[in-house]
Amino acid sequence: MLYHGVDKQKKYRVGAMLLDIHNPALVTHRTVAPILEPEYNYENEGIYKGICFPCGNVVIDGILFVYYGGADKYVGVATCPLDQLIEHIRKFPIKQKI
């Protein structure tokens, strides 16, 4: 699952997490650093500066396409191999309190 968050400098970034297959209310793994963050002019200059806001995604032939808003003015797409992203997320397990 992809999600967005905002930091103290009001930069919107994208993170990723894995949910428990039997209880999706439980997060099992979560990236500790953003997987997508404002870097380019079209993400930092616009209606609202410093925004990467994920709006939709699709997997085609094992490649994850993430469509996102940049600075609330532009639309971008970021890609990565889905299996590599999942492998990366699995490096960061969450210790659940039961």
Side-chain angles (χ1 to χ4, degrees), residues 10-30:
K10 298 186 179 174
K11 297 272 186 175
Y12 280 74
R13 295 176 164 97
V14 181
M17 66 176 93
L18 297 177
L19 306 177
D20 185 276
I21 194 165
H22 302 291
N23 182 357
L26 296 176
V27 177
T28 61
H29 299 76
R30 190 181 95 178

Side-chain angles (χ1 to χ4, degrees), residues 59-79:
V59 177
I60 301 172
D61 295 329
I63 303 297
L64 173 65
F65 291 76
V66 179
Y67 299 90
Y68 68 96
D72 277 8
K73 186 175 180 180
Y74 303 99
V75 175
V77 63
T79 63

Side-chain angles (χ1 to χ4, degrees), residues 24-74:
L26 296 176
V27 177
T28 61
H29 299 76
R30 190 181 95 178
T31 55
V32 295
I35 62 167
L36 179 63
E37 60 186 325
E39 295 180 61
Y40 302 104
N41 287 342
Y42 68 89
E43 299 161 341
N44 285 300
E45 300 298 326
I47 297 169
Y48 294 102
K49 297 171 177 32
I51 293 181
C52 285
F53 191 91
C55 299
N57 54 69
V58 64
V59 177
I60 301 172
D61 295 329
I63 303 297
L64 173 65
F65 291 76
V66 179
Y67 299 90
Y68 68 96
D72 277 8
K73 186 175 180 180
Y74 303 99

